[in-house]
Amino acid sequence: MRFNYPILLLDEKGKSYLIKGNTDLHTKDGVIKKEELIKEIKKGKGVGEICKIVRTHLGKKFFIISPNIIDFIKKSKLGPQKISLKDCALIASYTGISSGSKVVDAGTGSGILAMFLANIIAPEKLITYEIRKEFAQIAKKNFKKAGIKNIKIKIKDIYKGIDEKNLDLITLDLQEPWKVIKHAKNSLKFGGYIVSYSPSIEQSKKFFDSLEKEGNFYSETIECLVRNWDMKIVRPYSGMLAHTGFITFARFLGCEK
Ligand code: SAH
């Protein structure tokens, strides 16, 4: 994927700047002159292929690397609640989507999940439904900054229906996911997935029960906890992100026979 901000400046502690490289950069560790950066970028092979380094006028070192989708997601502007990377990863790994998979997502929110999935299914286009124009605007800006072209935002209430057919995956991050099940049955491929992310177990239970009642789905609900370790003292950090959401995966098994 080609990004609109093609350069990531990264220091040894993980601090980073996503830049276009067409102006001087002012950091709290000093200024990086545009000319210095361009001189280094033009040396030898391309950005991300060989080691390239630039220093601020105070001598602070930054590595010049080529950003990936996660660098853009981490720096995205956030509107409503965003989904975390661990949960995005779980959705991708449990559903097995890949380049060319057909995906509908709702609601768009800040577009974090949409960007994560669109990067995997490219060049196929991801369709994401959003009812609130102001959130669609935030998401649009995030997509533009990243230069992602394979996402289409539809200003539409997904509870009223899904236009797309033959889908591999429908992802839901909204209040009443059970209202989408009847539409999903007309839009999913046989063997495709509808996945719902909910912060509350009561929403997950209602979604799960509605799928059971429907009868054409095999479902399971998962919670993913990630614990970071302090490797200097070799034990987990005392604080952790203890709760994000529950994810229910349902595989569509509906047929005439
Ligand atoms: N997954 C998103 C966050 C979604 S927040 C991300 O990663 O950034 C939930 C969003 O769903 C909100 O923007 C809300 O406006 C939208 N929404 C709620 N109900 C909807 C509906 N029926 N159809 C489409 N979008 C809806």
Side-chain angles (χ1 to χ4, degrees), residues 78-84 88 105-115 128-132 134-136 154-160 172-176 180 197:
L78 300 178
Q81 198 63 31
K82 58 142 190 179
I83 193 164
S84 69
C88 290
D105 165 66
T108 312
S110 319
I112 304 300
L113 180 60
M115 282 197 269
T128 179
Y129 286 58
E130 174 57 57
I131 38 170
R132 291 178 58 177
E134 67 273 30
F135 294 149
K154 270 193 183 175
I155 303 295
K156 185 176 168 180
D157 181 348
I158 199 163
Y159 300 155
K160 296 204 170 128
L172 305 173
D173 179 359
L174 31 70
Q175 294 285 316
E176 299 172 294
V180 185
Y197 168 88

Side-chain angles (χ1 to χ4, degrees), residues 8-11 14-18 62 71 75:
L8 185 77
L9 297 181
L10 183 68
D11 79 2
K15 186 170 176 47
S16 66
Y17 297 90
L18 262 176
F62 281 94
D71 297 313
K75 291 199 182 284

Side-chain angles (χ1 to χ4, degrees), residues 3-208:
F3 297 116
N4 265 349
Y5 287 66
I7 297 160
L8 185 77
L9 297 181
L10 183 68
D11 79 2
E12 278 148 319
K13 295 231 159 84
K15 186 170 176 47
S16 66
Y17 297 90
L18 262 176
I19 58 168
K20 288 190 171 174
N22 53 1
T23 53
D24 293 349
L25 177 70
H26 294 257
T27 78
K28 74 171 183 29
D29 300 300
V31 181
I32 295 172
K33 298 294 286 178
K34 181 181 93 177
E35 293 75 25
E36 295 278 316
L37 185 68
I38 290 172
K39 201 168 77 191
E40 186 62 24
I41 287 172
K42 283 191 172 158
K43 274 189 204 158
K45 291 186 178 170
V47 169
E49 288 179 59
I50 53 167
C51 176
K52 294 186 181 213
I53 286 166
V54 68
R55 287 179 195 273
T56 68
H57 77 292
L58 298 176
K60 166 87 181 178
K61 184 163 93 176
F62 281 94
F63 297 94
I64 307 169
I65 62 177
S66 193
N68 63 35
I69 190 70
I70 306 302
D71 297 313
F72 283 95
I73 286 179
K74 283 182 177 163
K75 291 199 182 284
S76 286
K77 201 168 173 298
L78 300 178
Q81 198 63 31
K82 58 142 190 179
I83 193 164
S84 69
L85 279 176
K86 70 178 173 72
D87 294 315
C88 290
L90 213 65
I91 293 172
S93 65
Y94 276 61
T95 59
I97 53 160
S98 60
S99 171
S101 295
K102 292 190 187 313
V103 179
V104 162
D105 165 66
T108 312
S110 319
I112 304 300
L113 180 60
M115 282 197 269
F116 183 88
L117 298 176
N119 183 58
I120 296 174
I121 66 166
E124 183 63 50
K125 217 173 200 134
L126 178 141
I127 314 293
T128 179
Y129 286 58
E130 174 57 57
I131 38 170
R132 291 178 58 177
K133 282 193 179 141
E134 67 273 30
F135 294 149
Q137 280 311 322
I138 293 174
K140 222 179 232 173
K141 276 192 192 144
N142 288 333
F143 303 159
K144 195 169 172 217
K145 179 163 185 188
I148 294 181
K149 300 211 169 58
N150 66 321
I151 301 180
K152 182 176 174 206
I153 304 178
K154 270 193 183 175
I155 303 295
K156 185 176 168 180
D157 181 348
I158 199 163
Y159 300 155
K160 296 204 170 128
I162 301 173
D163 307 320
E164 296 71 25
K165 302 273 175 247
N166 211 23
L167 298 172
D168 295 287
L169 172 63
I170 298 169
T171 53
L172 305 173
D173 179 359
L174 31 70
Q175 294 285 316
E176 299 172 294
W178 47 89
K179 289 190 175 166
V180 185
I181 298 172
K182 60 177 184 294
H183 306 307
K185 289 176 77 172
N186 296 321
S187 289
L188 282 174
K189 264 183 196 165
F190 182 61
Y193 290 87
I194 177 169
V195 174
S196 175
Y197 168 88
S198 296
S200 130
I201 196 64
E202 289 185 357
Q203 285 167 305
S204 306
K205 174 73 174 143
K206 190 160 176 186
F207 182 63
F208 187 91

